[in-house]
Amino acid sequence: MSRFIRNSAILAKIETTSGTDAVPVGASNAMLVSNMSITPLVSSNVSRDLIRPYFGGSEQLVGTAYVELSFDVEIQSSGSMVTPTVPAWDPLLRSCGFAATSAAGIRVEYNPITAAMESSTIYYHADGVLHKLLGARGNVSLKMGIGERPVFSFKMLGLDGGISAVANPSVTLTAFKTPLIVTDPNTGDIMFGCTYTAATPAITGGTSQISRGLQIDLGNAVSHIQLLGGESISITQRETTGSVELDLSAADEVTYMATVKAATTQAIGLQHGTAAGYKVLIFAPAVQLINPKHSDVSGRMLCGYDLRFLPSSGNDEIKIVAA
């Protein structure tokens, strides 16, 4: 009988004990995803290399193994901050080395951490076959380009929790709200030299710059650690980078080149969405611009820069706020 890739479901739930099945369910842990791919078994195969009186290979034995799963999730807040209600993508971001803090009726903030990182159990239902990822952690990229859906692109690694023939669960996806396309009315300008005000929350001050949006890669180094009695998926380093294209005046280009040459850092902020419950703010306090370049956009000359997001006081190089 034929099986179909669209008849898939992804469930994710934060684990109480890393590597122990948190048993996510379709009613409350389903993820609304796109652009999905899975490598069901990434294994360290060990060849036997047997010596025999004839040509031919030896079988390879399957050693330690993990599962790799990639997908996109649309960036949108929860629709309400009353409780506050965390966004539906909350367990995924927390499994990528973020900690969530809430202020009732105002916001949910996600800040990067170095210690005590959480992990999740992810169930991938592939039209009647269940793949389990345990102790899952990963990396995330933010893609907020003009005229596009804003998305988190996740690449998750998990310990192989087994595979079984199980009917797909019924899923509830109402927690995922329809995103706003990245446009001038929905998003506005990127702010340089700005500040973040948590009480509002808002990005204030600084200089606004016309752009084609913002791309950010959290840059987690995610490793499958092979230890007897202590196998895990671990995040061992983080180096956040990104890119931006700006429509600069001649004077502004000269100014920004000076910051590049001096290795100067400055704050960058961006707010997507305008209505309470449907806003997502990105703030970084110390961003270095490097590798300046020019690009041709329909005859317009834009100035592009690669970005390095640096910690200011530690574990603060980027803040993601649902408000």
Side-chain angles (χ1 to χ4, degrees):
M1 185 177 71
S2 298
R3 296 164 62 209
F4 300 97
I5 194 66
R6 283 195 170 273
N7 191 15
S8 300
I10 290 180
L11 317 179
K13 185 178 180 181
I14 291 293
E15 295 171 337
T16 302
T17 302
S18 184
T20 299
D21 194 341
V23 194
V25 296
S28 54
N29 305 120
M31 298 290 119
L32 182 61
V33 308
S34 59
N35 192 29
M36 178 182 63
S37 67
I38 185 172
T39 304
L41 196 69
V42 183
S43 60
S44 300
N45 292 340
V46 180
S47 178
R48 296 183 68 194
D49 285 334
L50 300 174
I51 298 175
R52 295 171 294 196
Y54 46 82
F55 290 157
S58 303
E59 69 266 41
Q60 291 186 339
L61 306 179
V62 177
T64 56
Y66 63 94
V67 185
E68 185 175 292
L69 181 62
S70 300
F71 49 83
D72 292 346
V73 174
E74 294 169 334
I75 299 176
Q76 182 54 285
S77 193
S78 63
S80 172
M81 289 292 112
V82 175
T83 310
T85 304
V86 298
W89 32 262
D90 171 87
L92 298 173
L93 216 56
R94 288 163 60 190
S95 298
C96 290
F98 281 93
T101 57
S102 301
I106 301 174
R107 69 188 182 280
V108 182
E109 285 186 5
Y110 294 87
N111 294 286
I113 54 177
T114 297
M117 293 186 183
E118 296 179 286
S119 62
S120 60
T121 294
I122 300 178
Y123 283 8
Y124 168 56
H125 289 268
D127 199 354
V129 175
L130 168 60
H131 301 261
K132 291 186 179 182
L133 288 74
L134 304 180
R137 296 187 173 100
N139 185 46
V140 60
S141 299
L142 289 76
K143 300 176 181 179
M144 302 184 73
I146 181 71
E148 299 176 354
R149 292 182 309 154
V151 297
F152 292 118
S153 288
F154 291 98
K155 181 179 179 180
M156 308 300 296
L157 276 62
L159 301 177
D160 177 23
I163 181 173
S164 57
V166 177
N168 281 24
S170 297
V171 297
T172 301
L173 299 169
T174 53
F176 287 88
K177 306 305 177 184
T178 303
L180 297 171
I181 297 298
V182 179
T183 63
D184 190 30
N186 293 336
T187 313
D189 298 346
I190 295 177
M191 306 301 295
F192 286 77
C194 55
T195 57
Y196 169 70
T197 304
T200 315
I203 293 169
T204 57
T207 302
S208 64
Q209 294 292 357
I210 300 169
S211 75
R212 286 175 54 80
L214 187 61
Q215 311 286 331
I216 303 173
D217 184 345
L218 188 63
N220 283 340
V222 187
S223 303
H224 176 219
I225 307 298
Q226 304 176 32
L227 295 171
L228 296 178
E231 184 182 12
S232 68
I233 303 296
S234 298
I235 298 172
T236 57
Q237 172 61 309
R238 178 179 64 245
E239 193 166 332
T240 305
T241 59
S243 62
V244 68
E245 288 182 291
L246 305 175
D247 187 5
L248 298 178
S249 68
D252 282 343
E253 182 180 354
V254 172
T255 298
Y256 278 82
M257 183 62 79
T259 68
V260 171
K261 291 181 177 180
T264 303
T265 63
Q266 57 190 309
I268 290 182
L270 179 66
Q271 176 177 309
H272 179 63
T274 58
Y278 293 88
K279 295 186 291 185
V280 175
L281 288 71
I282 310 296
F283 178 74
V287 181
Q288 180 186 6
L289 277 61
I290 62 172
N291 302 329
K293 59 187 75 68
H294 288 165
S295 59
D296 182 344
V297 179
S298 300
R300 293 278 291 274
M301 185 177 70
L302 270 62
C303 298
Y305 302 89
D306 292 333
L307 308 174
R308 291 182 58 80
F309 293 74
L310 307 176
S312 178
S313 57
N315 293 318
D316 60 353
E317 58 264 47
I318 185 171
K319 183 188 300 289
I320 300 172
V321 184

